[in-house]
Amino acid sequence: MSQALDRGRAVVRRPDVPLRSLLPLGLFFLLALVFPFLPLGERAEYLLQIAFFTLVAGVLALSWDILARSGQVSLAHAAFYGLGAYGFALLSKVMPWFLAMPVAALIAGLISLILGAVTMRLSGMYFAIATLAFTEVVRTIIQNLPEATAGGANGLLVPALLGGNARAQYFLAFGILLFTALVSLAIRRSRLHHAFAAIRQGEETARVLGVSVVKYKLLAFFISSFLAALGGVLYAGKTFFINPLETFSLANSIAPLTTSIFGGLYTTLGPILGATVLRVAEEILHAYIKNGYLVVYGLVLMLSILWLPRGLMGLFKRGKHGGDV
C-alpha cells in the first residue's frame, strides 16, 4: 500500500479500472439517455417521473457509498440532502437557479466539514449515532427558523426547476448522476481510492503507511455531502414544496445505505444499479399489492442482502485486475 501511495503519479496513470468493465455502466447511461424518447404510451408522464426519482436515488446512493469507502457509515445523509433542498429554495429567491444549485451544495459540503471534524474520533455505532443526532439537530433548527424565511414546520414553496418541464428536469437529473459517476470513477483511479481503502481497513495502519487520515476523511465527507445536496436540489425543484419532517426524515438516510449494500458497496455501478432495481420493484409491488407492499419489499430486500453479500455486483464476474466498477 505504501508503495502505491508513494508512486502516486503511476497509480493515477495505471488502468486500475479496465475499460471493458465500464461497459455495463456505459450501457446504463445510454439506456437512461434514450428513455424519454421511447414510445411510453399513455403513462409516459408517470414513467418519466419514476425515472427521474430513480436517478435522484442513484445520486444519493452513490454519494453515500463514496463516504463509506473511507470507513465512515453515516446516518447524516438526510441532513445534507435537506440542506441542499432548503439552500436551493432560499437561494433561488436571490439568484438564478443554475447558481443557487451549486452554491447550496457547496454550503452543505462546508457544513459537513464541521460534522466531520467533530466526529473525527468516533467510529462504528458511535459515529452512526452522532451523525443521526446531527440530522435531528439540523431538522430542529430549520423547523424553528422564522416562518417567513424558511416556512417553519409548515414547509416552504420551491420554484420549479426549468419551468416545470418534466423532460428537461429528467436530463438535469441524468447529468448530475453522470457527474456523480464520473467523480466516483475519478476517485477510483486516483490516490484517494488507496487512501480511503487504507483508512477503512484500519486508521492506525493507514497512519503508519503515511496516509493523512484527517484530511482524507474530511475530503470524503465534503465530496459525499456536496453530491447528496445536489440530490436534494433535484427533489425540491421537482416537488415544488418541502417540509422538515419529510426532507430530513430518517428514511432519506437509510435508503442510500440499503441501496448501496443491495447494489454492491465500494463500486460505481452497484449503487446506481441498486437504486434502479429497488425503485422499479417498489413501483411494481405497489401496483399489485396496495396494502402491505412495503412489508413484501422489506422482506425481498432483506433476503437479497443475505443471499448476495456483495450485492448485485457479486453477480458480475470480477475483472482480471480486480476492477469492480
Side-chain angles (χ1 to χ4, degrees):
M1 180 63 72
S2 61
Q3 293 177 345
L5 292 174
D6 292 338
R7 297 195 303 271
R9 293 180 180 278
V11 170
V12 172
R13 290 195 297 268
R14 192 172 60 190
D16 199 26
V17 180
L19 290 179
R20 66 175 181 277
S21 65
L22 293 174
L23 288 177
L25 188 63
L27 180 61
F28 170 86
F29 278 104
L30 180 62
L31 291 174
L33 184 64
V34 302
F35 180 79
F37 303 105
L38 298 176
L40 302 175
E42 297 178 350
R43 306 185 72 186
E45 186 175 346
Y46 168 73
L47 293 175
L48 195 59
Q49 178 169 303
I50 297 302
F52 172 90
F53 284 110
T54 300
L55 295 177
V56 175
V59 172
L60 286 180
L62 189 50
S63 62
W64 185 89
D65 187 82
I66 289 173
L67 179 62
R69 294 175 198 179
S70 66
Q72 303 177 93
V73 181
S74 171
L75 291 178
H77 232 53
F80 302 112
Y81 177 75
L83 285 171
Y86 269 87
F88 175 74
L90 298 175
L91 289 171
S92 59
K93 295 179 181 178
V94 296
M95 62 178 67
W97 70 268
F98 54 85
L99 288 179
M101 174 180 282
V103 172
L106 182 61
I107 291 173
L110 293 175
I111 292 175
S112 77
L113 296 180
I114 300 174
L115 175 63
V118 172
T119 59
M120 188 60 62
R121 294 182 180 278
L122 300 178
S123 62
M125 67 176 180
Y126 298 102
F127 176 80
I129 291 172
T131 54
L132 178 62
F134 173 78
T135 303
E136 287 301 302
V137 169
V138 174
R139 183 184 65 79
T140 304
I141 292 174
I142 295 290
Q143 195 165 319
N144 287 281
L145 287 175
E147 191 166 331
T149 303
N154 295 323
L156 189 65
L157 292 174
V158 183
L161 271 172
L162 299 167
N165 185 308
R167 183 170 288 190
Q169 290 174 340
Y170 174 86
F171 283 115
L172 179 62
F174 173 87
I176 290 179
L177 179 59
L178 180 60
F179 171 71
T180 305
L182 292 175
V183 170
S184 174
L185 289 175
I187 291 173
R188 177 80 190 192
R189 299 196 63 179
S190 73
R191 299 178 68 185
L192 283 178
H193 172 70
H194 301 286
F196 287 173
I199 295 171
R200 187 174 72 246
Q201 291 165 12
E203 292 188 14
E204 290 304 320
T205 305
R207 287 192 181 92
V208 171
L209 292 172
V211 176
S212 176
V213 174
V214 173
K215 182 179 78 173
Y216 285 113
K217 286 178 76 173
L218 289 179
L219 184 57
F221 237 125
F222 178 83
I223 296 171
S224 174
S225 303
F226 180 88
L227 296 171
L230 288 179
V233 171
L234 291 172
Y235 165 77
K238 179 71 174 179
T239 58
F240 316 147
F241 176 80
I242 53 177
N243 66 69
L245 285 179
E246 289 186 8
T247 310
F248 296 95
S249 71
L250 179 60
N252 288 331
S253 286
I254 297 296
L257 185 155
T258 54
T259 301
S260 296
I261 294 173
F262 176 74
L265 285 170
Y266 317 137
T267 64
T268 299
L269 178 60
I272 296 175
L273 193 60
T276 304
V277 172
L278 289 179
R279 187 71 188 182
V280 172
E282 183 179 356
E283 290 300 323
I284 293 174
L285 287 173
H286 184 248
Y288 289 96
I289 310 174
K290 294 292 183 185
N291 298 318
Y293 77 97
L294 285 177
V295 175
V296 179
Y297 174 82
L299 287 173
V300 171
L301 179 60
M302 183 179 67
L303 293 174
S304 300
I305 291 174
L306 288 174
W307 286 338
L308 297 171
R310 293 183 58 207
L312 296 177
M313 291 300 292
L315 299 174
F316 290 86
K317 184 179 180 181
R318 182 182 285 270
K320 184 181 293 183
H321 301 286
D324 277 339
V325 177

